[in-house]
Amino acid sequence: MDSVFSNVDRAPEDPILGVTVAYNNDPSPAKLNLGVGAYRTEEGKPLVLDVVRRAEQQLVNDPSRVKEYIPIAGLADFNKLSAKLILGADSPAIQESRVATIQCLSGTGSLRVGAEFLKKHYHQCVIFIPKPTWGNHPKVFNLAGLSVEYYRYYDPATRGLDFQGLLEDLGAAPSGAIVLLHACAHNPTGVDPTSEQWAKIRQLIRSKSLLPFFDSAYQGFASGSLDTDAHSVRTFVADGGECLIAQSYAKNMGLYGERVGALSIVCKSADVASKVESQVKLVVRPMYSSPPIHGASIVATILKSSDMYNDWTIELKGMADRIISMRQQLFEALQAKGTPGDWSHIIKQIGMFTFTGLNKEQVAFMTKEYHIYMTSDGRISMAGLSTKTVPHLVDAIHAAVTRVV
Amino acid sequence: MKTNDFSSSSSPSDRRIGALLRHLTAGTDADRVSSVFASPTSGGAGGSVFAHLVQAPEDAILGVTIAYNKDPSPIKLNLGVGAYRTEEGKPLVLNVVRKAEQQLINDRSRIKEYLPIVGLVEFNKLSAKLILGADSPAIRENRVTTVECLSGTGSLRVGGEFLARHYHQKTIYIPQPTWGNHPKIFTLAGLSVKTYRYYDPSTRGLNFQGLLEDLGAAPQGSIVLLHACAHNPTGVDPTLEQWEQIRKLMRSKGLMPFFDSAYQGFASGSLDTDAKPIRMFVADGGELLVAQSYAKNMGLYGERVGALSIVCKAADVAGRVESQLKLVIRPMYSNPPIHGASIVAVILRDRNLFNEWTLELKAMADRIISMRKQLFEALRARGTPGDWTHIIKQIGMFTFTGLNPAQVSYMTKEYHIYMTSDGRISMAGLSSKTVPHLADAIHAVVTKAL
């Protein structure tokens, strides 16, 4: 008898993760992986932060530690510390107990749990996401049951923000619609609004009662400053309004595979926050019962020790600075080579990624001829570059731009 | 400031503000209206967009521990949540787990990069071998796809979502009773949930006739949830002969088995014995799903380690199924956590660690079996009315005492004994020292007219 799954189609490889799969299959010694957004050192190696190793040693060497189920909402002190980290220790929302924070599986898990909660309890089922955005965003929201619309964001002509288009599209959104905002270091473009632009965005969102849902995956990693990178989120909280925040520790603590994150929901009152938390638990319990203990324990250990916290901020700034330096080097190398075009966006954009502006054909050319791997939208991970490999990338870009239209 | 009477707003709280405003400002001039508005910088006039939410009740099972923790009595006993406790009433981290963890942490070459969407590949292979047997033809023929998931719950949810999307039948039959979270998982996965008769309160055993009738009446192709061993909450398992009949019936109706295996090795003390029902189904060449948990048998509860295996008719099908499982996982949490699965892989791949694990596992199972005997004998010694043999006939962490909610309440109030209201007690929460207290409580409540 035939399989009951015979009709199941082979799904295509995830486009972002598929880049690394292709890279791994390439035997060329000159190959360069500028695909997935994970930090690499100057030597091209993954990095486990020193402070993370210390925290982990402390935990594992403590014989009194157990592996019992943690609460459905996760580790309580991790949650409190995470809220303080993103909102600021002096945040009135925290002082007034108006924030419900639930440990989730990194950014993706926080987005999915938040979206399922909104689908169940919020009066509007549409979320507006920027064009372009991280490839997984629409899938997360669709599977949560929300419908997805786009607002204009990236302007290919300037390789910057299409601010007018953004205001028009959010202005035309139905009252109460949910709006996904990248807190900083927009993925994939690296293009962020200025503070003034953020203020206008906030006023528009509040005037139309749109519900902000922040994706904060790069706090501290973009500018090197935790407070600077949280600024956009904090201005929204400061106006007294409500919002959701998905927080990830994948990049800024290098905890990628441990899946550590938090969903915070800032509410108008403590009473509402408490009810919200109880309802979010009903989303979590039938999904995976309770979140994993290890990564959140590492984060809590670091955030609650002022020494470790300080050490962390230094290592974090080290990573951010190296990326900024790669931007500088790449830009200067392209200028030195006389590569046609305006490449200033490389140093204007912020965060792990640069939206090069290269088209699909140019990208394919660079992969085939120069063994350089990136996503087909022309996004490169600056974290994957080093002083040694910048020249190779520059040669490839130069060739692509002059030979492939 | 703009004037706006909110009446066309889609937000209910805005419309209420609007109605209030109109009422307050009726007959006044427009200038006065603007002063009633909240500051334009505050997040919208009106209350919270979540103001209508109700406080959700505490999870029934986990709520028991919360109540227990609040109780100041020194004689309190927590027989609620199913986590193993030692004779001293303490949680247990297995020696072999501590060893594995030390090994991992002290390896400076280890990194924390994202795992593949399907999880740690070595963990997946070892997990399939563990549940299906190292010599399983399904494994040899590459007909099994295994993906690392978040313990049993995560494996059930991912499997359920996959079936809701790709399987032709969207109904799952679950036993009556079953773990409280089962119906919620499958409903949120997009399946509709029906039940089949399972527990017989009059015998405190299996209602086999009812089970066969209900599965016999299920539509062709329906999904059927089966507890692989140590049924939760009743502790009542089919015999091997009964399993064989269940298998034949299910295969004849093309019913899709979805096994929940949360207690392999923990129930009888033997990994192979506890996997037998699953292996019988695989041996007939048919297809099935298995949700595997390492929470209890490796004591890895909070690390959330588990695996979903789908046994298919052909390797090509298994490959396509795996690719589709990734489309379920990626928008849920992208990829699974690395730590717990790494511990499991270290233990399963090393012959010495594996053997040590089987010894620690058997010790846990033996202690629970010993608690069953002690409780049974204590009740017999007290002459407690009723037939209590089910305590030693049932298997696994839980005993379905047969006590009703009123009796359970009484035991909590008067004896500070905490259990779920369905009369389920966790044998793992008992010790030689606390058995007498429990036996006294049961005796009291059974002899009282409640």
Side-chain angles (χ1 to χ4, degrees), chain B residues 204 385 388 401-415 417 419-423 441-450:
Chain B
R204 288 173 190 158
W388 297 98
T401 54
L403 297 166
N404 63 45
Q407 292 171 317
V408 169
S409 245
Y410 180 88
M411 282 174 67
T412 304
K413 195 160 173 294
E414 303 299 327
Y415 286 80
I417 294 180
M419 70 183 79
T420 46
S421 59
D422 56 3
I442 292 176
H443 188 91
V445 89
V446 161
T447 50
K448 245 179 121 57
L450 273 178

PDB file of all heavy atoms in Angstrom, chain B residues 204 385 388 401-415 417 419-423 441-450:
ATOM      1  N   ARG B 204     -10.977   0.141  37.427  1.00  0.00           N
ATOM      2  CA  ARG B 204      -9.738   0.934  37.473  1.00  0.00           C
ATOM      3  C   ARG B 204      -8.702   0.337  36.532  1.00  0.00           C
ATOM      4  O   ARG B 204      -7.499   0.343  36.789  1.00  0.00           O
ATOM      5  CB  ARG B 204      -9.179   1.031  38.906  1.00  0.00           C
ATOM      6  CG  ARG B 204     -10.053   1.955  39.749  1.00  0.00           C
ATOM      7  CD  ARG B 204      -9.678   1.980  41.205  1.00  0.00           C
ATOM      8  NE  ARG B 204     -10.700   2.704  41.961  1.00  0.00           N
ATOM      9  CZ  ARG B 204     -10.901   2.567  43.257  1.00  0.00           C
ATOM     10  NH1 ARG B 204     -10.170   1.728  43.964  1.00  0.00           N
ATOM     11  NH2 ARG B 204     -11.840   3.270  43.864  1.00  0.00           N
ATOM     12  N   PRO B 385     -11.238   0.308  53.296  1.00  0.00           N
ATOM     13  CA  PRO B 385     -12.222  -0.350  52.423  1.00  0.00           C
ATOM     14  C   PRO B 385     -11.909  -0.133  50.952  1.00  0.00           C
ATOM     15  O   PRO B 385     -11.382   0.895  50.555  1.00  0.00           O
ATOM     16  CB  PRO B 385     -13.549   0.330  52.796  1.00  0.00           C
ATOM     17  CG  PRO B 385     -13.251   1.366  53.801  1.00  0.00           C
ATOM     18  CD  PRO B 385     -11.839   1.276  54.207  1.00  0.00           C
ATOM     19  N   TRP B 388      -7.595  -1.996  46.307  1.00  0.00           N
ATOM     20  CA  TRP B 388      -6.509  -1.068  45.963  1.00  0.00           C
ATOM     21  C   TRP B 388      -5.442  -1.708  45.096  1.00  0.00           C
ATOM     22  O   TRP B 388      -4.354  -1.165  44.925  1.00  0.00           O
ATOM     23  CB  TRP B 388      -5.895  -0.482  47.248  1.00  0.00           C
ATOM     24  CG  TRP B 388      -6.927   0.335  47.992  1.00  0.00           C
ATOM     25  CD1 TRP B 388      -7.685  -0.089  49.046  1.00  0.00           C
ATOM     26  CD2 TRP B 388      -7.349   1.669  47.687  1.00  0.00           C
ATOM     27  NE1 TRP B 388      -8.555   0.903  49.435  1.00  0.00           N
ATOM     28  CE2 TRP B 388      -8.378   2.002  48.614  1.00  0.00           C
ATOM     29  CE3 TRP B 388      -6.966   2.619  46.740  1.00  0.00           C
ATOM     30  CZ2 TRP B 388      -9.009   3.246  48.606  1.00  0.00           C
ATOM     31  CZ3 TRP B 388      -7.594   3.853  46.740  1.00  0.00           C
ATOM     32  CH2 TRP B 388      -8.612   4.156  47.667  1.00  0.00           C
ATOM     33  N   THR B 401      -5.997   7.153  41.562  1.00  0.00           N
ATOM     34  CA  THR B 401      -6.468   6.550  42.799  1.00  0.00           C
ATOM     35  C   THR B 401      -7.928   6.111  42.730  1.00  0.00           C
ATOM     36  O   THR B 401      -8.345   5.180  43.401  1.00  0.00           O
ATOM     37  CB  THR B 401      -6.351   7.530  43.967  1.00  0.00           C
ATOM     38  OG1 THR B 401      -7.038   8.750  43.589  1.00  0.00           O
ATOM     39  CG2 THR B 401      -4.895   7.848  44.277  1.00  0.00           C
ATOM     40  N   GLY B 402      -8.742   6.829  41.951  1.00  0.00           N
ATOM     41  CA  GLY B 402     -10.178   6.557  41.970  1.00  0.00           C
ATOM     42  C   GLY B 402     -10.891   7.491  42.939  1.00  0.00           C
ATOM     43  O   GLY B 402     -12.111   7.427  43.110  1.00  0.00           O
ATOM     44  N   LEU B 403     -10.128   8.376  43.600  1.00  0.00           N
ATOM     45  CA  LEU B 403     -10.749   9.350  44.504  1.00  0.00           C
ATOM     46  C   LEU B 403     -11.448  10.427  43.673  1.00  0.00           C
ATOM     47  O   LEU B 403     -10.975  10.796  42.601  1.00  0.00           O
ATOM     48  CB  LEU B 403      -9.669   9.991  45.387  1.00  0.00           C
ATOM     49  CG  LEU B 403      -8.947   9.003  46.325  1.00  0.00           C
ATOM     50  CD1 LEU B 403      -7.684   9.637  46.894  1.00  0.00           C
ATOM     51  CD2 LEU B 403      -9.882   8.574  47.450  1.00  0.00           C
ATOM     52  N   ASN B 404     -12.560  10.929  44.203  1.00  0.00           N
ATOM     53  CA  ASN B 404     -13.305  11.947  43.465  1.00  0.00           C
ATOM     54  C   ASN B 404     -12.875  13.353  43.918  1.00  0.00           C
ATOM     55  O   ASN B 404     -12.165  13.498  44.918  1.00  0.00           O
ATOM     56  CB  ASN B 404     -14.814  11.739  43.638  1.00  0.00           C
ATOM     57  CG  ASN B 404     -15.264  11.902  45.075  1.00  0.00           C
ATOM     58  OD1 ASN B 404     -14.850  12.844  45.758  1.00  0.00           O
ATOM     59  ND2 ASN B 404     -16.112  10.998  45.545  1.00  0.00           N
ATOM     60  N   PRO B 405     -13.276  14.402  43.166  1.00  0.00           N
ATOM     61  CA  PRO B 405     -12.818  15.760  43.488  1.00  0.00           C
ATOM     62  C   PRO B 405     -13.110  16.182  44.928  1.00  0.00           C
ATOM     63  O   PRO B 405     -12.303  16.886  45.544  1.00  0.00           O
ATOM     64  CB  PRO B 405     -13.594  16.637  42.487  1.00  0.00           C
ATOM     65  CG  PRO B 405     -13.841  15.739  41.329  1.00  0.00           C
ATOM     66  CD  PRO B 405     -14.014  14.364  41.897  1.00  0.00           C
ATOM     67  N   ALA B 406     -14.248  15.758  45.455  1.00  0.00           N
ATOM     68  CA  ALA B 406     -14.566  16.135  46.840  1.00  0.00           C
ATOM     69  C   ALA B 406     -13.575  15.491  47.808  1.00  0.00           C
ATOM     70  O   ALA B 406     -13.114  16.117  48.772  1.00  0.00           O
ATOM     71  CB  ALA B 406     -15.991  15.712  47.181  1.00  0.00           C
ATOM     72  N   GLN B 407     -13.253  14.243  47.550  1.00  0.00           N
ATOM     73  CA  GLN B 407     -12.293  13.543  48.407  1.00  0.00           C
ATOM     74  C   GLN B 407     -10.903  14.178  48.278  1.00  0.00           C
ATOM     75  O   GLN B 407     -10.182  14.346  49.263  1.00  0.00           O
ATOM     76  CB  GLN B 407     -12.245  12.053  48.039  1.00  0.00           C
ATOM     77  CG  GLN B 407     -13.537  11.306  48.372  1.00  0.00           C
ATOM     78  CD  GLN B 407     -13.557   9.900  47.800  1.00  0.00           C
ATOM     79  OE1 GLN B 407     -13.175   9.675  46.657  1.00  0.00           O
ATOM     80  NE2 GLN B 407     -14.036   8.941  48.587  1.00  0.00           N
ATOM     81  N   VAL B 408     -10.555  14.539  47.038  1.00  0.00           N
ATOM     82  CA  VAL B 408      -9.243  15.170  46.810  1.00  0.00           C
ATOM     83  C   VAL B 408      -9.154  16.480  47.586  1.00  0.00           C
ATOM     84  O   VAL B 408      -8.161  16.763  48.265  1.00  0.00           O
ATOM     85  CB  VAL B 408      -9.025  15.409  45.303  1.00  0.00           C
ATOM     86  CG1 VAL B 408      -7.808  16.297  45.070  1.00  0.00           C
ATOM     87  CG2 VAL B 408      -8.856  14.085  44.571  1.00  0.00           C
ATOM     88  N   SER B 409     -10.193  17.265  47.502  1.00  0.00           N
ATOM     89  CA  SER B 409     -10.258  18.548  48.217  1.00  0.00           C
ATOM     90  C   SER B 409     -10.065  18.363  49.710  1.00  0.00           C
ATOM     91  O   SER B 409      -9.340  19.108  50.359  1.00  0.00           O
ATOM     92  CB  SER B 409     -11.662  19.138  48.033  1.00  0.00           C
ATOM     93  OG  SER B 409     -11.594  20.287  47.317  1.00  0.00           O
ATOM     94  N   TYR B 410     -10.756  17.355  50.226  1.00  0.00           N
ATOM     95  CA  TYR B 410     -10.676  17.060  51.665  1.00  0.00           C
ATOM     96  C   TYR B 410      -9.244  16.705  52.063  1.00  0.00           C
ATOM     97  O   TYR B 410      -8.714  17.176  53.064  1.00  0.00           O
ATOM     98  CB  TYR B 410     -11.620  15.905  51.984  1.00  0.00           C
ATOM     99  CG  TYR B 410     -11.625  15.503  53.434  1.00  0.00           C
ATOM    100  CD1 TYR B 410     -12.482  16.132  54.344  1.00  0.00           C
ATOM    101  CD2 TYR B 410     -10.776  14.500  53.907  1.00  0.00           C
ATOM    102  CE1 TYR B 410     -12.489  15.773  55.685  1.00  0.00           C
ATOM    103  CE2 TYR B 410     -10.772  14.137  55.239  1.00  0.00           C
ATOM    104  CZ  TYR B 410     -11.628  14.771  56.123  1.00  0.00           C
ATOM    105  OH  TYR B 410     -11.631  14.419  57.453  1.00  0.00           O
ATOM    106  N   MET B 411      -8.597  15.889  51.239  1.00  0.00           N
ATOM    107  CA  MET B 411      -7.222  15.476  51.539  1.00  0.00           C
ATOM    108  C   MET B 411      -6.267  16.665  51.517  1.00  0.00           C
ATOM    109  O   MET B 411      -5.304  16.721  52.288  1.00  0.00           O
ATOM    110  CB  MET B 411      -6.749  14.410  50.553  1.00  0.00           C
ATOM    111  CG  MET B 411      -7.318  13.036  50.889  1.00  0.00           C
ATOM    112  SD  MET B 411      -6.928  11.793  49.658  1.00  0.00           S
ATOM    113  CE  MET B 411      -5.170  11.658  49.842  1.00  0.00           C
ATOM    114  N   THR B 412      -6.548  17.617  50.618  1.00  0.00           N
ATOM    115  CA  THR B 412      -5.701  18.800  50.566  1.00  0.00           C
ATOM    116  C   THR B 412      -5.925  19.647  51.804  1.00  0.00           C
ATOM    117  O   THR B 412      -4.984  20.072  52.481  1.00  0.00           O
ATOM    118  CB  THR B 412      -6.007  19.630  49.300  1.00  0.00           C
ATOM    119  OG1 THR B 412      -5.843  18.793  48.149  1.00  0.00           O
ATOM    120  CG2 THR B 412      -5.068  20.820  49.195  1.00  0.00           C
ATOM    121  N   LYS B 413      -7.198  19.871  52.120  1.00  0.00           N
ATOM    122  CA  LYS B 413      -7.537  20.764  53.225  1.00  0.00           C
ATOM    123  C   LYS B 413      -7.102  20.195  54.576  1.00  0.00           C
ATOM    124  O   LYS B 413      -6.484  20.883  55.369  1.00  0.00           O
ATOM    125  CB  LYS B 413      -9.057  20.975  53.203  1.00  0.00           C
ATOM    126  CG  LYS B 413      -9.541  22.131  54.033  1.00  0.00           C
ATOM    127  CD  LYS B 413     -10.962  22.560  53.572  1.00  0.00           C
ATOM    128  CE  LYS B 413     -11.537  23.612  54.513  1.00  0.00           C
ATOM    129  NZ  LYS B 413     -11.802  23.087  55.882  1.00  0.00           N
ATOM    130  N   GLU B 414      -7.415  18.912  54.816  1.00  0.00           N
ATOM    131  CA  GLU B 414      -7.176  18.342  56.143  1.00  0.00           C
ATOM    132  C   GLU B 414      -5.795  17.722  56.294  1.00  0.00           C
ATOM    133  O   GLU B 414      -5.268  17.655  57.398  1.00  0.00           O
ATOM    134  CB  GLU B 414      -8.236  17.281  56.456  1.00  0.00           C
ATOM    135  CG  GLU B 414      -9.665  17.806  56.382  1.00  0.00           C
ATOM    136  CD  GLU B 414      -9.924  18.927  57.388  1.00  0.00           C
ATOM    137  OE1 GLU B 414      -9.324  18.899  58.484  1.00  0.00           O
ATOM    138  OE2 GLU B 414     -10.703  19.842  57.059  1.00  0.00           O
ATOM    139  N   TYR B 415      -5.240  17.222  55.200  1.00  0.00           N
ATOM    140  CA  TYR B 415      -3.968  16.502  55.294  1.00  0.00           C
ATOM    141  C   TYR B 415      -2.832  17.179  54.516  1.00  0.00           C
ATOM    142  O   TYR B 415      -1.717  16.657  54.497  1.00  0.00           O
ATOM    143  CB  TYR B 415      -4.148  15.055  54.812  1.00  0.00           C
ATOM    144  CG  TYR B 415      -4.896  14.205  55.807  1.00  0.00           C
ATOM    145  CD1 TYR B 415      -6.290  14.256  55.894  1.00  0.00           C
ATOM    146  CD2 TYR B 415      -4.216  13.384  56.706  1.00  0.00           C
ATOM    147  CE1 TYR B 415      -6.982  13.508  56.830  1.00  0.00           C
ATOM    148  CE2 TYR B 415      -4.897  12.618  57.640  1.00  0.00           C
ATOM    149  CZ  TYR B 415      -6.279  12.689  57.701  1.00  0.00           C
ATOM    150  OH  TYR B 415      -6.952  11.949  58.636  1.00  0.00           O
ATOM    151  N   ILE B 417      -2.269  17.372  51.406  1.00  0.00           N
ATOM    152  CA  ILE B 417      -1.756  16.522  50.328  1.00  0.00           C
ATOM    153  C   ILE B 417      -2.266  17.088  49.016  1.00  0.00           C
ATOM    154  O   ILE B 417      -3.474  17.271  48.842  1.00  0.00           O
ATOM    155  CB  ILE B 417      -2.201  15.067  50.521  1.00  0.00           C
ATOM    156  CG1 ILE B 417      -1.518  14.522  51.788  1.00  0.00           C
ATOM    157  CG2 ILE B 417      -1.828  14.225  49.310  1.00  0.00           C
ATOM    158  CD1 ILE B 417      -1.870  13.097  52.113  1.00  0.00           C
ATOM    159  N   MET B 419      -2.707  17.060  44.955  1.00  0.00           N
ATOM    160  CA  MET B 419      -2.776  16.228  43.737  1.00  0.00           C
ATOM    161  C   MET B 419      -3.769  16.879  42.793  1.00  0.00           C
ATOM    162  O   MET B 419      -4.489  17.810  43.191  1.00  0.00           O
ATOM    163  CB  MET B 419      -3.237  14.814  44.090  1.00  0.00           C
ATOM    164  CG  MET B 419      -4.692  14.749  44.518  1.00  0.00           C
ATOM    165  SD  MET B 419      -5.213  13.096  45.029  1.00  0.00           S
ATOM    166  CE  MET B 419      -4.549  13.038  46.691  1.00  0.00           C
ATOM    167  N   THR B 420      -3.807  16.413  41.550  1.00  0.00           N
ATOM    168  CA  THR B 420      -4.783  16.982  40.628  1.00  0.00           C
ATOM    169  C   THR B 420      -6.183  16.474  40.995  1.00  0.00           C
ATOM    170  O   THR B 420      -6.335  15.399  41.565  1.00  0.00           O
ATOM    171  CB  THR B 420      -4.443  16.621  39.168  1.00  0.00           C
ATOM    172  OG1 THR B 420      -4.134  15.227  39.085  1.00  0.00           O
ATOM    173  CG2 THR B 420      -3.224  17.407  38.704  1.00  0.00           C
ATOM    174  N   SER B 421      -7.190  17.244  40.642  1.00  0.00           N
ATOM    175  CA  SER B 421      -8.545  16.974  41.134  1.00  0.00           C
ATOM    176  C   SER B 421      -9.141  15.689  40.565  1.00  0.00           C
ATOM    177  O   SER B 421     -10.152  15.203  41.035  1.00  0.00           O
ATOM    178  CB  SER B 421      -9.468  18.144  40.808  1.00  0.00           C
ATOM    179  OG  SER B 421      -9.480  18.345  39.407  1.00  0.00           O
ATOM    180  N   ASP B 422      -8.480  15.099  39.570  1.00  0.00           N
ATOM    181  CA  ASP B 422      -8.978  13.835  39.019  1.00  0.00           C
ATOM    182  C   ASP B 422      -8.490  12.639  39.843  1.00  0.00           C
ATOM    183  O   ASP B 422      -8.695  11.499  39.447  1.00  0.00           O
ATOM    184  CB  ASP B 422      -8.547  13.675  37.556  1.00  0.00           C
ATOM    185  CG  ASP B 422      -7.031  13.763  37.376  1.00  0.00           C
ATOM    186  OD1 ASP B 422      -6.306  13.886  38.397  1.00  0.00           O
ATOM    187  OD2 ASP B 422      -6.567  13.735  36.232  1.00  0.00           O
ATOM    188  N   GLY B 423      -7.840  12.921  40.971  1.00  0.00           N
ATOM    189  CA  GLY B 423      -7.399  11.830  41.836  1.00  0.00           C
ATOM    190  C   GLY B 423      -6.085  11.216  41.421  1.00  0.00           C
ATOM    191  O   GLY B 423      -5.705  10.138  41.902  1.00  0.00           O
ATOM    192  N   ALA B 441      -4.449   9.520  55.116  1.00  0.00           N
ATOM    193  CA  ALA B 441      -5.353  10.470  54.457  1.00  0.00           C
ATOM    194  C   ALA B 441      -6.366   9.743  53.579  1.00  0.00           C
ATOM    195  O   ALA B 441      -7.556  10.062  53.597  1.00  0.00           O
ATOM    196  CB  ALA B 441      -4.540  11.462  53.630  1.00  0.00           C
ATOM    197  N   ILE B 442      -5.885   8.761  52.822  1.00  0.00           N
ATOM    198  CA  ILE B 442      -6.793   8.008  51.952  1.00  0.00           C
ATOM    199  C   ILE B 442      -7.807   7.249  52.804  1.00  0.00           C
ATOM    200  O   ILE B 442      -9.018   7.262  52.532  1.00  0.00           O
ATOM    201  CB  ILE B 442      -6.020   7.033  51.032  1.00  0.00           C
ATOM    202  CG1 ILE B 442      -5.179   7.817  50.011  1.00  0.00           C
ATOM    203  CG2 ILE B 442      -6.987   6.091  50.312  1.00  0.00           C
ATOM    204  CD1 ILE B 442      -4.305   6.942  49.116  1.00  0.00           C
ATOM    205  N   HIS B 443      -7.309   6.653  53.846  1.00  0.00           N
ATOM    206  CA  HIS B 443      -8.193   5.909  54.736  1.00  0.00           C
ATOM    207  C   HIS B 443      -9.283   6.818  55.301  1.00  0.00           C
ATOM    208  O   HIS B 443     -10.469   6.487  55.282  1.00  0.00           O
ATOM    209  CB  HIS B 443      -7.382   5.291  55.875  1.00  0.00           C
ATOM    210  CG  HIS B 443      -8.202   4.357  56.731  1.00  0.00           C
ATOM    211  ND1 HIS B 443      -8.299   3.010  56.480  1.00  0.00           N
ATOM    212  CD2 HIS B 443      -8.980   4.592  57.825  1.00  0.00           C
ATOM    213  CE1 HIS B 443      -9.095   2.439  57.372  1.00  0.00           C
ATOM    214  NE2 HIS B 443      -9.521   3.380  58.208  1.00  0.00           N
ATOM    215  N   ALA B 444      -8.875   7.973  55.770  1.00  0.00           N
ATOM    216  CA  ALA B 444      -9.827   8.914  56.379  1.00  0.00           C
ATOM    217  C   ALA B 444     -10.886   9.326  55.367  1.00  0.00           C
ATOM    218  O   ALA B 444     -12.089   9.345  55.661  1.00  0.00           O
ATOM    219  CB  ALA B 444      -9.086  10.140  56.891  1.00  0.00           C
ATOM    220  N   VAL B 445     -10.439   9.637  54.159  1.00  0.00           N
ATOM    221  CA  VAL B 445     -11.371  10.209  53.194  1.00  0.00           C
ATOM    222  C   VAL B 445     -12.316   9.133  52.643  1.00  0.00           C
ATOM    223  O   VAL B 445     -13.462   9.415  52.294  1.00  0.00           O
ATOM    224  CB  VAL B 445     -10.580  10.930  52.080  1.00  0.00           C
ATOM    225  CG1 VAL B 445     -10.233   9.979  50.944  1.00  0.00           C
ATOM    226  CG2 VAL B 445     -11.348  12.121  51.552  1.00  0.00           C
ATOM    227  N   VAL B 446     -11.833   7.897  52.612  1.00  0.00           N
ATOM    228  CA  VAL B 446     -12.666   6.821  52.073  1.00  0.00           C
ATOM    229  C   VAL B 446     -13.703   6.371  53.096  1.00  0.00           C
ATOM    230  O   VAL B 446     -14.825   5.987  52.739  1.00  0.00           O
ATOM    231  CB  VAL B 446     -11.763   5.642  51.619  1.00  0.00           C
ATOM    232  CG1 VAL B 446     -12.555   4.365  51.486  1.00  0.00           C
ATOM    233  CG2 VAL B 446     -11.076   5.985  50.313  1.00  0.00           C
ATOM    234  N   THR B 447     -13.335   6.459  54.363  1.00  0.00           N
ATOM    235  CA  THR B 447     -14.281   6.021  55.390  1.00  0.00           C
ATOM    236  C   THR B 447     -15.267   7.126  55.767  1.00  0.00           C
ATOM    237  O   THR B 447     -16.351   6.852  56.260  1.00  0.00           O
ATOM    238  CB  THR B 447     -13.556   5.538  56.665  1.00  0.00           C
ATOM    239  OG1 THR B 447     -12.604   6.534  57.044  1.00  0.00           O
ATOM    240  CG2 THR B 447     -12.835   4.229  56.403  1.00  0.00           C
ATOM    241  N   LYS B 448     -14.921   8.367  55.489  1.00  0.00           N
ATOM    242  CA  LYS B 448     -15.852   9.474  55.703  1.00  0.00           C
ATOM    243  C   LYS B 448     -16.924   9.427  54.628  1.00  0.00           C
ATOM    244  O   LYS B 448     -16.655   9.084  53.486  1.00  0.00           O
ATOM    245  CB  LYS B 448     -15.110  10.807  55.550  1.00  0.00           C
ATOM    246  CG  LYS B 448     -15.018  11.628  56.815  1.00  0.00           C
ATOM    247  CD  LYS B 448     -14.235  12.892  56.519  1.00  0.00           C
ATOM    248  CE  LYS B 448     -15.076  14.133  56.819  1.00  0.00           C
ATOM    249  NZ  LYS B 448     -15.554  14.179  58.218  1.00  0.00           N
ATOM    250  N   ALA B 449     -18.138   9.844  54.972  1.00  0.00           N
ATOM    251  CA  ALA B 449     -19.190   9.894  53.952  1.00  0.00           C
ATOM    252  C   ALA B 449     -19.113  11.215  53.198  1.00  0.00           C
ATOM    253  O   ALA B 449     -19.670  12.223  53.590  1.00  0.00           O
ATOM    254  CB  ALA B 449     -20.553   9.757  54.619  1.00  0.00           C
ATOM    255  N   LEU B 450     -18.361  11.210  52.091  1.00  0.00           N
ATOM    256  CA  LEU B 450     -18.186  12.472  51.330  1.00  0.00           C
ATOM    257  C   LEU B 450     -18.919  12.416  50.006  1.00  0.00           C
ATOM    258  O   LEU B 450     -18.882  11.392  49.340  1.00  0.00           O
ATOM    259  CB  LEU B 450     -16.699  12.717  51.067  1.00  0.00           C
ATOM    260  CG  LEU B 450     -15.921  13.467  52.150  1.00  0.00           C
ATOM    261  CD1 LEU B 450     -14.460  13.575  51.744  1.00  0.00           C
ATOM    262  CD2 LEU B 450     -16.490  14.868  52.361  1.00  0.00           C
TER     263      LEU B 450
END
